[in-house]
Amino acid sequence: MASKVRLSHIRNIGIIAHIDAGKTTVTERLLFYTGKTYKMGEVHNGEAVMDWMPQEQERGITITAAVTTCHWKHNEIHIIDTPGHVDFTIEVERSLRILDGALVVFCAVGGVEPQSETVWHQADKYHVPKIAFINKIDRVGADFFGTVDTMRSRFHSIPLLIQIPCVHGDALQGVIDLVSQKLITWQDALGTSYEYTDIPDAHRMQAQELRERLIETIAETDDGIAEKYLNGDAVSDKELIASIRSATISLKVVPVLCGAALRNIGIQPILDSVIHFLPSPEDIPPVEGINPRTRKKETRRSSDKEPLSALAFKIMMDEGRKLTYMRIYSGTMHVGDEVYNSTRDKKEKIARLLKMHANKRERVDTVGAGTIIAVAGLKNTSTGDTLCDESAPIVLEPIDFYEPVISQAIEAKTPQDQDKLTAALSKLTDEDPTLKVRYNDETAQTIISGMGELHLEIVIDRLVREYNTNVNVGRPRVVYRETIGSESVVEGKFEKELGDRKHSGHVTLTLQPGGRGSGLVIINEIPNNVIPEMYHDGIRESIRDASLSGCTAGYPVTDVTVRITGGSCREGESSEIGYRIAASTAFNEGCIRGNPYLLEPVMMVNVMAPTDFMGEVIGNINARRGEVQHITHRGPIIEIRAKVPLRQMFGYSTDLRSLTQGRGTFTMQFLQYDKSS
C-alpha cells in the first residue's frame, strides 16, 4: 500500500511530448521493465496498455491522460501518460498541476516540435523539474546534438548531457553514460538484458570532453563541486548524481538522455534517472492554499501527519460510474471516511479507493501523502476541487482551463435519443472542462464547443459508441467574440411596478476599447453616497452577464473596459433588480454606440513538410488569409509557422496531404482573437 512506502521513495511523474514523439511507446517499455506488464503493447497495432480507449487504439494517438503505478529498485513511481495533440492539451495542463516531475520525450528527427514547446512551457508554469529523453536516435535523419542545441535556444533551461548515442557507421550500438563513463549496450531484442562496458576508443575522447563540460556546468550550481574542479580533484559518481539532482529540482538544469524506445534501447536508464534526479514529494515545497474561513494563506507539508489536503484533477466515467482522480498532498485517506469539499462547502463519503493501471484497478483501504489515487463515490466533486479535513479546511489553487474556439451543432435523431443525449453530454462535460454545451432556443439545436475539429470528432464518436446516442451533426462553426471600436458614454434607467412595489435604478457607464487579450474589465468609479454600496456587486454582475451576449451577433463581448461612473438613488424605490436591469440596458446600448465589430480566433499553425513542396504550402497558407511568421530549414524538412484565421483551417489536413503527396503534417493552437475581415 502507498502509505507503507516511504515518501522519499515515491515519484510522481508525467510523460509529455509533441504528438508522435514516442511517449506511449516509452511508457509501455517502462511498464514492461518494471514488471507491471508481461508484454509490450505497440501503438501502431492498437495494443498499447495506456491507450485503452477504442478511439485511441484506432487513431494511434493518446486522447486521455492515463495513470499507472510501477516499482523500480524499491521505489514507487506513479506515471501519467499524457496526450501530445494540441486539442487535448487540458489533459497535460491538469496533469502537470499535480505532478512533481516530468519526462519530456523528443524525436531526434523532428527535434523540438511545436507541441514540445507548449508542454515545456506548461511544465515551467507549474515549476515542474524535468528530464529529457531524445527518442528515435536510430532513425535516418536523427540529430541528437542538433536537438540539444534547439532545446538550448528555445527554452530558458540548460540541457545537461547525461548520455550520448554510440553510433558505429549507421548502426546504433548503445548509449554512453557520461556520469559513470561507461557504454551501455542491450543484449537481446526485448531489451531486458543490458550491461555496462568500457567506452570504445573511437568515442573515448568525445566522452571525456563532454564529461568535463558536464562537471563545469554543475560546478556553476554547486560550490563543493566547483572547489574540487578548480583544485583538479576527482569528482565521484555519487557526488555528481547528488549535485545533478539538486540542480534539476531547483530548475537550473535539465538532464538529457537518449535511446530508441521502439528498439528497446535506453529505457532502464530513464527509470534510474527518474529515481536519481526527479523529486520525491518530500523534495517539493509545501503546497499553498487559502483557509476558506479566515481567508488567510496556509501551507501543507507532504506528510501523513499533517491534516488531509487533496486536489481532484480529473473526472472519468467508467461504465456509468464516476471516478475522481486525486493527488493526496498531505494526510491520509481511508475507505469510509467523511471528507470536506472546501471548494463547494459540501461533505463527501469515500466509498472506494482505487489504484489505477490505465483502465484497470486495484482496491486499497488507505492512502497517504504523495499518492495519486482514484476515488469512487464522490457526488459533488469536480475537476479542480479540494478535499480536506473539515477541522483544518484549505482551498488549493484551482486548475486553469482553456476557452473553446470551435463549435458544432448536434441534435438527437429521435425523442428517445434526446434524453440519452442530455445525460451523456452532462457526463462528458464533467470529464472534460474544455467541452462546453449550450442549447440554442432559436434553432432548437444543442451546440457543443471544444478545442479543435479532432476534439469534437472524438466527443461525437463517444456519444454514439459509449452512450448509444444517435445524433445528426452540423458543420463545425467558429466561436467569435465581439468588441467595440470607439468610446461611448451611456446611461441606463429603469422604472416599473412589479407586484405591489415600484422598482427603479439609474446607472451611467463609460465603455472604452481595451487591448487585445485584455478581456472584460469592470472598474467601479461610483462616487460615495450616489448609489448605496449594497447594490455595487449586483451592478457588476449584471454587466458581466450582459457581456455574454453581444449586440452584433450574440457572441460574448471582450476587450472592453467598462467604467461605472455614477447614477442616482431614489429613497424607497431603488432596488437590486432595478439597478441590475439599468446596468444591463446601459451596457447593451454602449456596445451599439461603440461601433461594434466581430473578433475571430486566429491560430498559430506549424506545418512540417518536405522542402520540395515549400512553394505550394506557402501559397496555400496565403490563399487562406494566413500570414507566414517564420520558416526554418531542417535538412530535407521545412517548418513553416504562420498565423491563420480558424475559419480558414477547415479541411486543411486533406489539402495539405494532397499538396505534399501525403508527407506533410501540421499542428495548430489558439493564438489570439483579432478583427474579422
Side-chain angles (χ1 to χ4, degrees), residues 408-442:
Q408 200 157 14
I410 59 171
E411 59 186 17
K413 285 187 176 177
T414 66
Q416 292 82 7
D417 284 321
Q418 182 58 51
D419 292 339
K420 287 198 280 186
L421 177 63
T422 305
L425 285 173
S426 173
K427 289 177 179 177
L428 288 172
T429 50
D430 275 349
E431 282 188 34
D432 184 355
T434 58
L435 175 66
K436 306 289 186 198
V437 178
R438 64 186 173 85
Y439 186 74
N440 189 323
D441 290 319
E442 293 176 9

Side-chain angles (χ1 to χ4, degrees), residues 131-243:
I131 59 175
F133 177 69
I134 299 180
N135 190 25
K136 305 187 183 182
I137 214 77
D138 58 324
R139 293 264 296 271
V140 175
D143 185 357
F144 173 76
F145 290 103
T147 303
V148 173
D149 288 341
T150 314
M151 288 170 64
R152 192 175 281 112
S153 63
R154 291 209 189 164
F155 304 137
H156 298 297
S157 308
I158 299 171
L160 189 72
L161 295 189
I162 302 297
Q163 295 174 352
I164 57 172
C166 181
V167 179
H168 188 67
D170 290 333
L172 177 66
Q173 291 187 316
V175 299
I176 294 169
D177 185 346
L178 299 178
V179 175
S180 64
Q181 284 287 77
K182 293 286 184 185
L183 169 69
I184 314 174
T185 52
W186 280 260
Q187 309 303 306
D188 61 309
L190 275 178
T192 50
S193 172
Y194 61 103
E195 64 178 1
Y196 287 74
T197 56
D198 291 335
I199 298 171
D201 292 341
H203 296 274
R204 191 167 292 142
M205 187 174 290
Q206 182 193 28
Q208 285 173 346
E209 284 177 13
L210 289 172
R211 191 176 196 271
E212 282 287 304
R213 204 176 300 167
L214 166 65
I215 295 171
E216 272 180 39
T217 306
I218 283 297
E220 291 175 17
T221 68
D222 187 319
D223 292 342
I225 299 284
E227 193 175 329
K228 282 198 163 192
Y229 178 68
L230 293 171
N231 292 335
D233 297 337
V235 178
S236 72
D237 297 356
K238 195 173 179 182
E239 289 173 310
L240 197 52
I241 287 170
S243 189

Side-chain angles (χ1 to χ4, degrees), residues 401-507:
F401 300 129
Y402 299 90
E403 285 299 312
V405 295
I406 188 168
S407 290
Q408 200 157 14
I410 59 171
E411 59 186 17
K413 285 187 176 177
T414 66
Q416 292 82 7
D417 284 321
Q418 182 58 51
D419 292 339
K420 287 198 280 186
L421 177 63
T422 305
L425 285 173
S426 173
K427 289 177 179 177
L428 288 172
T429 50
D430 275 349
E431 282 188 34
D432 184 355
T434 58
L435 175 66
K436 306 289 186 198
V437 178
R438 64 186 173 85
Y439 186 74
N440 189 323
D441 290 319
E442 293 176 9
T443 61
Q445 287 178 314
T446 300
I447 310 294
I448 57 172
S449 305
M451 302 302 294
E453 283 183 280
L454 180 62
H455 185 197
L456 297 186
E457 184 188 315
I458 298 293
V459 167
I460 291 160
D461 188 42
R462 291 187 64 193
L463 283 172
V464 174
R465 198 182 301 203
E466 282 178 43
Y467 296 99
N468 301 314
T469 307
N470 296 310
V471 292
N472 295 318
V473 180
R475 285 196 63 195
R477 288 177 58 234
V478 173
V479 179
Y480 291 86
R481 294 285 186 269
E482 297 185 19
T483 191
I484 58 172
S486 59
E487 182 176 310
S488 62
V489 179
V490 287
E491 67 174 342
K493 286 184 177 178
F494 178 77
E495 286 183 32
K496 196 163 188 180
E497 280 191 24
L498 298 171
D500 57 355
R501 192 190 152 189
K502 191 171 185 181
H503 292 267
S504 76
H506 176 216
V507 176

Side-chain angles (χ1 to χ4, degrees), residues 51-63 88 454 457-466:
D51 285 351
W52 57 271
M53 289 172 66
Q55 293 85 353
E56 294 177 315
Q57 292 165 353
E58 288 165 9
R59 290 168 174 80
I61 60 170
T62 302
I63 291 168
F88 310 106
L454 180 62
E457 184 188 315
I458 298 293
V459 167
I460 291 160
D461 188 42
R462 291 187 64 193
L463 283 172
V464 174
R465 198 182 301 203
E466 282 178 43

